[in-house]
Amino acid sequence: MLNEIKQLDLTDWPAYSWEKEQKQSTLLSKVLELDAHHSDNCPAFSKLKSFMPELDVVPHPYSQLFPLPVRLFKSQALKSVPDDSVIKTMMSSGTSGQSVSKIYLDKETSIYQVKVLSKLVRNFIGNKRLPLLVIDCPSTVKNRTQFSARTAGILGFSMYGRDITYALNDDMSLNLNAINEFIETYRGQEKFIFGFTYIIWLHLVEALEQTKQTIDLTDSTLIHGGGWKKIESRQISKTNFKSRLKNVSKIPRIHNYYGMIEQTGSIFMECEQGHFHCSSWSEVIMRDFKTLQPLKNNKVGLIQLISALPHSYPGHSILSEDIGIKLGEDDCPCGRKGTYFDVLGRVKQAEVRGCSDTYSK
């Protein structure tokens, strides 16, 4: 059975149905293959690995994988394919004066990301392309070859919707006429809404609250992520976010996601129970802040992210600057298999960043 599974094409893997033994064997085989590829074809990665100490005193299935600190993508041109194979360059967020990550995609990696993201999204919104309302402005998606995480997010999720409407004007003000027209056109139909967390909060929720207005987006599913740090000063919890958003919009189904541009496509969707889920293509390890040893369930640590997708750059094993806690595996009440976890914040003194870029109001 396991041999048959290993023969499956990467994009034919099921999203959340493999149990631990099936998934671990298949995913580990793929990421070790990627590790060898990047060691052979990315000199910077190979050099970094040569200085790698023996990390895991505590046995762990993924001990052979060097966890590349995510910040290195800001200072190194990390790519494992020739320059003429690069078809897209994605750039992470960063405030003025900060360096940004540059992620180089070849055709193979780009195809993997699109197909896997499609499987993950459709697990939550179904297989039909639904009318899409984007909580952002049209000018965000101009550059299609070298673009930010915000642009990449909108373009990526737009593929799973149709008849796209933008909820904001280019000055980031609320376009109520466009929203109400969208609502009237598709009243009674299932609808898909996408946006970045901080933009939804600042430019939809607070804008509607300040003018004491509401909109009726019943029969909608919202997927959002990125930028929690940018509204941290407002002390907005996930529960508070959902509650106040529902009060002004009547959106019944709201799913956060966790991810980063360094592993585009391998996002971790929030289930109906409020937990982030690893798919068949991804895994997380919580590591001790001081020793970097892997932690058991319910212990808070640094999040290491494993992905089977990055072929053109060594993004298959990344040590983030985020703090998380592993809650369990294969037994989430939502029914999805795999590791499920929560993200608690960022390491102190880590620069502010998210899956969205900054903008001028």
Side-chain angles (χ1 to χ4, degrees):
M1 177 65 176
L2 288 178
N3 286 333
E4 291 178 8
I5 290 172
K6 286 182 180 180
Q7 296 304 314
L8 285 175
D9 183 80
L10 182 69
T11 57
D12 290 331
W13 296 3
Y16 299 107
S17 62
W18 280 345
E19 295 188 353
K20 183 176 180 178
E21 183 183 4
Q22 293 174 314
K23 175 185 169 179
Q24 186 173 291
S25 174
T26 310
L27 179 60
L28 183 58
S29 176
K30 179 59 182 178
V31 292
L32 288 177
E33 177 187 311
L34 279 175
D35 195 70
H37 164 73
H38 295 309
S39 296
D40 291 342
N41 294 282
C42 181
F45 177 71
S46 181
K47 188 174 182 180
L48 287 165
K49 277 188 64 177
S50 69
F51 293 108
M52 170 184 160
E54 289 295 327
L55 192 59
D56 289 349
V57 176
V58 179
H60 194 279
Y62 297 91
S63 294
Q64 301 170 68
L65 295 172
F66 169 52
L68 188 68
V70 68
R71 193 166 292 204
L72 289 178
F73 285 94
K74 297 181 182 297
S75 59
Q76 304 285 328
L78 296 168
K79 68 181 84 165
S80 305
V81 294
D83 289 344
D84 58 7
S85 294
V86 175
I87 62 170
K88 294 179 185 175
T89 302
M90 299 196 298
M91 300 174 69
S92 69
S93 60
T95 57
S96 179
Q98 288 182 342
S99 57
V100 297
S101 296
K102 289 187 177 181
I103 308 302
Y104 304 96
L105 301 185
D106 64 353
K107 185 176 181 180
E108 179 179 342
T109 305
S110 183
I111 289 173
Y112 284 161
Q113 289 180 348
V114 169
K115 289 186 175 182
V116 168
L117 183 62
S118 175
K119 282 199 167 186
L120 301 183
V121 172
R122 294 187 191 285
N123 190 269
F124 286 82
I125 68 170
N127 292 322
K128 290 184 179 179
R129 294 184 67 190
L130 303 176
L132 173 62
L133 180 67
V134 176
I135 313 300
D136 213 310
C137 61
S139 62
T140 307
V141 296
K142 286 182 178 177
N143 191 335
R144 298 300 183 96
T145 56
Q146 186 172 32
F147 46 79
S148 68
R150 189 166 146 208
T151 306
I154 293 171
L155 291 176
F157 281 93
S158 292
M159 288 188 288
Y160 315 116
R162 60 179 174 84
D163 304 336
I164 301 169
T165 297
Y166 288 87
L168 306 180
N169 298 305
D170 282 337
D171 64 358
M172 302 302 289
S173 62
L174 202 57
N175 189 341
L176 274 174
N177 289 335
I179 295 172
N180 287 326
E181 184 177 341
F182 176 84
I183 290 170
E184 287 304 317
T185 301
Y186 301 107
R187 187 172 295 279
Q189 300 181 41
E190 288 292 322
K191 296 174 281 291
F192 176 32
I193 308 170
F194 171 76
F196 289 99
T197 305
Y198 76 106
I199 292 178
I200 292 170
W201 186 260
L202 295 176
H203 300 288
L204 182 68
V205 177
E206 289 193 343
L208 288 170
E209 289 178 342
Q210 287 166 8
T211 58
K212 301 186 185 306
Q213 298 181 87
T214 61
I215 54 178
D216 185 0
L217 285 166
T218 307
D219 302 319
S220 298
T221 299
L222 168 69
I223 294 178
H224 71 98
W228 279 103
K229 185 74 175 179
K230 294 172 185 176
I231 56 174
E232 189 179 66
S233 61
R234 288 167 163 78
Q235 297 182 325
I236 308 300
S237 67
K238 290 182 181 179
T239 301
N240 192 229
F241 179 91
K242 289 182 179 181
S243 174
R244 287 171 64 178
L245 176 56
K246 286 181 179 180
N247 285 342
V248 297
S249 70
K250 299 183 181 179
I251 300 172
R253 294 173 296 279
I254 300 172
H255 297 282
N256 189 14
Y257 71 87
Y258 169 64
M260 55 184 61
I261 197 168
E262 291 84 2
Q263 283 189 350
T264 300
S266 295
I267 62 172
F268 303 87
M269 291 292 298
E270 178 192 42
C271 73
E272 296 79 3
Q273 302 295 318
H275 304 145
F276 290 117
H277 276 260
C278 295
S279 69
S280 296
W281 300 275
S282 62
E283 188 55 84
V284 294
I285 303 167
M286 304 303 164
R287 292 192 174 273
D288 183 89
F289 296 105
K290 293 182 179 179
T291 67
L292 292 183
Q293 293 305 304
L295 299 171
K296 294 181 179 179
N297 290 2
N298 301 309
K299 299 291 185 180
V300 176
L302 277 175
I303 303 176
Q304 178 183 350
L305 304 157
I306 306 293
S307 173
L309 305 187
H311 171 266
S312 54
Y313 67 98
H316 59 300
S317 175
I318 293 176
L319 186 64
S320 76
E321 294 172 345
D322 295 321
I323 301 168
I325 181 169
K326 180 179 175 180
L327 301 171
E329 188 171 7
D330 288 350
D331 58 1
C332 180
C334 79
R336 295 176 180 86
K337 301 298 183 182
T339 298
Y340 58 101
F341 65 102
D342 198 5
V343 179
L344 306 179
R346 291 186 56 72
V347 177
K348 288 184 179 179
Q349 298 180 334
E351 64 182 347
V352 177
R353 66 190 291 274
C355 294
S356 45
D357 52 294
T358 56
Y359 60 93
S360 299
K361 289 188 179 180

